[in-house]
Amino acid sequence: MRDARVWSLPVQPETDFTLSSPILEARNVNLLFDSGRSTLTVLRDVSFALQPSEIASVVGPSGSGKTSLLMVLSGLERATSGSVLVDNAEIGTLSEDRLAIVRRTHFGILFQNFHLIPSMTALENVAFTLEIAHPSWSYSDIRRAAMDALAEVGLSARASHLPSALSGGEQQRVGLARAIVGDPRILLADEPTGNLDQTTGATVIELMFSLARRRGTAIVLITHDLGLAARADRTLSMNHGCLREVHTDHRVSV
Amino acid sequence: MRRSLFSLIRVALIDLRGGLQSFWILIACIAIGVATVAMVGAVGASLQSALARDGRLLLGGDIEFRLTHRAAEPAERVLFSGLGKVSEVVDFIGRAQSEGVGVLAMVRAVDNAYPHSGTVETEGEGTLEQQLAWQDGIRGVLVDPRLIDRLGTSVGARIRLGNAEFQIRGILHGVPDQVSQGVAIGFPLLMSTEGLAETNILQPGSLARYRYKIDLTDGGSAADAARLVEQSFGQAGWRISLPGDATEELSRYFALLRNFLTVVGLSALLVGGVGVAQAVSAYVTERQRSIATMKALGATRSRVILHFLTQILVLTLVGIVLGVVVGTAFTLLVLPLLGPMVGIPLTPTIDGPSILSSTAFGLLTGFLFGYLPLSRAEAMRPAQLFRSTESAAGGPGSVNLLLQPRTLLPMLGAVAGLFVVAVADTGRIEVVFWYAVGAAMALLMLRVAAHLLQGALRLLPAAPNAVIRNAIKAIYRPGSAAPAVILSLGLSIALLLLIALVESNLRHQLDPEVRVDAPDFLYMDLFADEVAAFKALAAVDDRIADFTPVPLVRASSFTINGEVPPELQEPPKDLTLYFGDEQPLTYSTDLPYGSRVMSGKWWSADYSGPPLVSVTEDLRALLDLKLDDQITFLIFGQPISARIASFRAYEWQRGGINFPYVLSPGALDEYPISYFGLITARDGTVGELQAALIAAYPELVFVPIEEAIDAVRDLMDTVASAISTVGGVALASGVLVIAGALAAGRRQREADSTVAKVLGATRLDLIASLTIEYGLVGGLAATLAVPLGVTGAWAFISLVLESTFVLDPLLLFLVVPLALLLTVGMGAALTWGALSGRPASFLRNG
């Protein structure tokens, strides 16, 4: 278990999230995997709402459905039943291509295993988000924006390096730059420090939180680390596919 | 739009730099296929264009009038002279002799006007006229260097032809209209027409071709000249050739060969296509997390597929460029060597259409075979990609995916494109259609068989032996290379078998073992008194086992039920070697040796009624003949009608002479008959008898059958070598693909082997397991490949070449062990690292 003191972050002003409409919402979501012989229930009647700029953490044991929740929220996985709303719009009925557009306009995703494209340099990995989202932009504009994002995570000097030449922490910072370069309204982070040592993880988390606060980006943070989870505006717990609130400080219904 | 496209291409190329090493098999497969098709196309086009372009040169004039067995009458000569400048050429088979040695010669006697165009290539002093002229009490000849070798003589020495002696004045390398002579029996020898007259070889009725090549006066039309001769001497049996006609037969052979080689080249591309599919499949598997990442970043399906399709097409283009460069370079090297072999000047040129069609073949193949594995990955949901441990490209539901319009339509478009390009390239829609059907069936059969094998093994109860159990499991476990190996090995072996069987069939036609009863010598123009003399000789000379005279009359043309059959543009194949477009007729009391009546009845031995005729089955099919049809032959300008009494089948390899038309006894009594004399020597006396016959009948020309067959065998050897070469290239593609299929599963196998070793398995266990696994896979592939290859070879030999298909059991016997050796050997070679290395090293390096 990590020491919670490592994750000391600047104190954030409390925000009343009940006053605005959620940027991301799950309503009675169920996710079942049918293997033919048996059916596995991964998410059970999950309801959840995330306000703009809110940081929510989800904790729970392995196999409890945390990553699946993140997949469903981002449209990477379709819920078996229930609905997911992004900016008050139902996304469950959208085509794959429409879902892709929702992701590029609303989401940034940070993975535990970084998932940088190994054939691309750090700069190209970050630029790739913009190449997809804004194919009509000139390359110089894309490059400039990508360089700015890399600068924000302190990796300007490593822009031309391939992922294989970067340390784990650096790779995750590139992942963070890639996630925020499109200025998303929601950042989904799937155990972003899971593959990093404590110090490096702390740096990345601090960076992520500060960038999110500065940009007003909402975050859903999946983590095993209760200390880290406690830094969020509120913490949710996932167990056997059920989501429930751990903290009650913030007035969010679960 | 343009910026988006550039963005797409730029990112795709950037992303490609990490994966190039995965694609060397894709590039090599495309390059080999494209090079083969480009080379075959370019060589074929060069041959065809030379035939078309140099038609006048190859004919030796603007028009040629030809007669067999007599020279032009004075009135005919006057008419020819009125048309333009005339050159008389006489072709016949003669025997050159020197100090008791006799060698068969393809003699061409020419006048001073020869040749109208081009040059006779010789080594020697003076002009052609001077070299052949009377000098120092003797006329000159020019001879092929091989003739000098065979005779054991030299330039300047004397040789005898018939009754006359000649001096060898120089070496003959070629005549410009050599191609129009047809297949040469014997070595070329050039003499003057004055010299020919002195040999006394040719008598009226002798088998010689008298050609009158005319350089028309300015403004003269070849068509008008042909019409004039037909009107004036229509009954005389003149054959008229225009530029192009002379090479029509050759052109047809080349086209046939080219079509076959193109099909082999396409097969190389087909096998290569399997390699493309494997490479793309492996690449997509390797990149599935990147694909997922792209989708997570908001890339749409079309963006993902365009990204990877751009990469595949770029790599395909690299393969195409390599293939075109290699194919073109090889073509430029081959053409100057091939020209002298076929007697046509071939200039090394780059053939644009061949490059275009091979490029189109390469692109369409790359797209067709790369698209399905790409579509599989593209169709998977990103969350599945994050989880999936098996190949995204080979995942479940592929049939459903294939049937989806967005997958099926582009692939059908590529198939249609390939079909159109193949038809445009070969000009044979039926060949392309049946090839496409065969190829599709082969692919489907192998794919389904692999699936069934996996299903059947899955249902089997667990084997008691762990090694066998593991080997069987390795075949059906997710991500197994077995389906890919069965597909690629099956196609490769089928292709190997097809090529080997076609080649063995071509050679079999001329195999001496087959012609056990064939005579040793053939006298071509014997008259009744000479036949009597031979009979007397045969009676007393122990070396002659048999002498058979076969009566012969030549018909210049014929009609069926009063009409000229349009199919006569295709001369009957059997004896074109000897007769060209003449129809040889014989009569016989008995059914000829080697023949059997397929329908109708053979006439009784004492038949003396109206003329009857027995016709070969080949001609029945070719000319759509029926029993009781009336055939009217034109012999020496006189019509003779005969009713078809029977159809015969004949195996020409078994010896004797097959006459397409055999008439009833008495039918030809009114006509001057010459004879073929067939002599069979007793065992071990062929050489001795040959020398004795030359000495006894120096003025008579005979053909040693083996030498005649040798001439055709040389031609067949060239064809068979071309097939072997192209086939070898196609097979190289197959081996690459198998290597690719095995290499794709290498990582997994290494990991499995390492874990097995960690758990205590010995190297022997692993090798035994691998041998059983690949043995099963290779055995199934080979078993399926046999019917595929045999069917393909049968179709080509029987349907395209219209020849009898002979199955060589040795080839079939060799296929299965070869396949097993190939798979087990390559499998072992590719996993040798895991088998021989220490587990710790692999575990450390991951």
Side-chain angles (χ1 to χ4, degrees), chain B residues 398-413:
Chain B
S398 55
V399 174
N400 288 341
L401 177 66
L402 181 64
L403 295 178
Q404 285 178 14
R406 68 162 179 249
T407 314
L408 191 61
L409 290 179
M411 290 180 72
L412 284 180

Side-chain angles (χ1 to χ4, degrees), chain B residues 355-618:
Chain B
I355 291 176
L356 271 182
S357 62
S358 58
T359 301
F361 277 133
L363 265 179
L364 289 166
T365 306
F367 178 82
L368 178 65
F369 285 89
Y371 191 71
L372 186 60
L374 275 188
S375 299
R376 285 175 185 158
E378 179 266 344
M380 289 189 81
R381 298 176 43 71
Q384 271 176 291
L385 285 170
F386 276 109
R387 290 198 187 94
S388 178
T389 51
E390 69 180 275
S391 163
S398 55
V399 174
N400 288 341
L401 177 66
L402 181 64
L403 295 178
Q404 285 178 14
R406 68 162 179 249
T407 314
L408 191 61
L409 290 179
M411 290 180 72
L412 284 180
V415 170
L418 278 170
F419 190 83
V420 169
V421 180
V423 170
D425 199 51
T426 61
R428 302 276 301 267
I429 190 164
E430 77 286 357
V431 171
V432 174
F433 175 76
W434 287 114
Y435 174 75
V437 169
M441 293 295 288
L443 281 172
L444 189 68
M445 185 174 138
L446 290 164
R447 198 75 190 82
V448 169
H451 187 69
L452 289 178
L453 175 75
Q454 289 186 308
L457 291 177
R458 206 173 274 131
L459 291 177
L460 278 182
N465 181 298
V467 171
I468 300 174
R469 206 162 49 236
N470 288 334
I472 288 174
K473 274 186 184 169
I475 294 175
Y476 66 74
R477 71 169 172 212
S480 161
V485 172
I486 289 173
L487 191 60
S488 49
L489 185 67
L491 283 178
S492 303
I493 296 287
L495 189 59
L496 168 71
L497 199 56
L498 187 153
I499 290 160
L501 282 172
V502 166
E503 197 190 329
S504 89
N505 266 270
L506 288 177
R507 292 187 192 278
H508 178 83
Q509 307 274 331
L510 302 165
D511 187 349
E513 293 295 315
V514 181
R515 300 190 313 280
V516 284
D517 302 316
D520 296 298
F521 305 109
L522 167 70
Y523 276 88
M524 301 186 71
D525 281 301
L526 298 181
F527 294 102
D529 56 332
E530 291 162 337
V531 169
F534 268 106
K535 279 183 176 169
L537 179 68
V540 297
D541 193 328
D542 286 346
R543 291 168 298 193
I544 300 177
D546 183 56
F547 170 73
T548 306
V550 181
L552 170 74
V553 168
R554 296 182 184 92
S556 53
S557 65
F558 68 91
T559 57
I560 295 164
N561 297 329
E563 289 179 10
V564 177
E567 298 86 349
L568 270 192
Q569 301 306 318
E570 298 258 348
K573 291 185 177 65
D574 291 283
L575 287 180
T576 47
L577 188 63
Y578 302 106
F579 296 97
D581 37 30
E582 298 263 321
Q583 305 303 319
L585 309 180
T586 188
Y587 66 86
S588 176
T589 305
D590 303 318
L591 181 64
Y593 176 78
S595 294
R596 59 197 162 102
V597 174
M598 303 302 287
S599 56
K601 272 178 66 181
W602 190 259
W603 42 79
S604 61
D606 58 351
Y607 180 81
S608 60
L612 299 175
V613 62
S614 175
V615 183
T616 56
E617 275 287 298
D618 289 352

Side-chain angles (χ1 to χ4, degrees), chain B residues 53-61 117-119 176-178 180 213 243 345:
Chain B
R53 184 190 61 230
D54 299 334
R56 188 179 174 280
L57 177 72
L58 300 173
L59 180 67
S117 51
T119 51
D177 51 349
Q178 193 173 324
S180 59
K213 296 169 186 274

Side-chain angles (χ1 to χ4, degrees), chain B residues 55-56 58-67 180-181 209-214 216 222-223 225-226 229-230 237-249 581:
Chain B
R56 188 179 174 280
L58 300 173
L59 180 67
D62 295 317
I63 188 165
E64 180 192 274
F65 298 99
R66 182 171 81 249
L67 266 187
S180 59
Q181 266 184 290
R209 286 203 172 133
Y210 294 84
R211 303 172 190 269
Y212 297 88
K213 296 169 186 274
I214 300 179
L216 293 171
V229 171
E230 270 173 3
W238 284 101
R239 290 279 161 183
I240 302 167
S241 298
L242 305 177
D245 295 346
T247 56
E248 194 182 349
E249 185 75 1
D581 37 30

Side-chain angles (χ1 to χ4, degrees), chain B residues 7-31:
Chain B
S7 159
L8 178 84
I9 294 172
R10 182 179 61 242
V11 176
L13 291 180
I14 287 171
D15 187 32
L16 192 57
R17 66 182 168 218
L20 265 179
Q21 71 278 7
S22 320
F23 284 110
W24 68 270
I25 285 183
L26 182 149
I27 292 171
C29 284
I30 293 285

Side-chain angles (χ1 to χ4, degrees), chain B residues 721-747:
Chain B
S721 304
I723 290 173
S724 302
T725 308
V726 176
V729 174
L731 273 182
S733 181
V735 171
L736 268 181
V737 174
I738 297 165
L742 293 172
R746 178 184 174 180
R747 189 77 189 155

Side-chain angles (χ1 to χ4, degrees), chain B residues 665-722:
Chain B
L668 300 173
D669 284 355
E670 294 172 22
Y671 302 96
I673 290 175
S674 63
Y675 294 84
F676 270 177
L678 303 174
I679 295 177
T680 308
R682 289 202 191 282
D683 287 348
T685 64
V686 175
E688 195 185 324
L689 182 60
Q690 180 171 343
L693 289 172
I694 291 167
Y697 304 102
E699 75 284 4
L700 294 182
V701 174
F702 69 88
V703 178
I705 301 292
E706 201 56 36
E707 276 188 37
I709 298 283
D710 274 350
V712 185
R713 188 182 288 136
D714 285 348
L715 186 73
M716 286 290 193
D717 274 347
T718 313
V719 172
S721 304

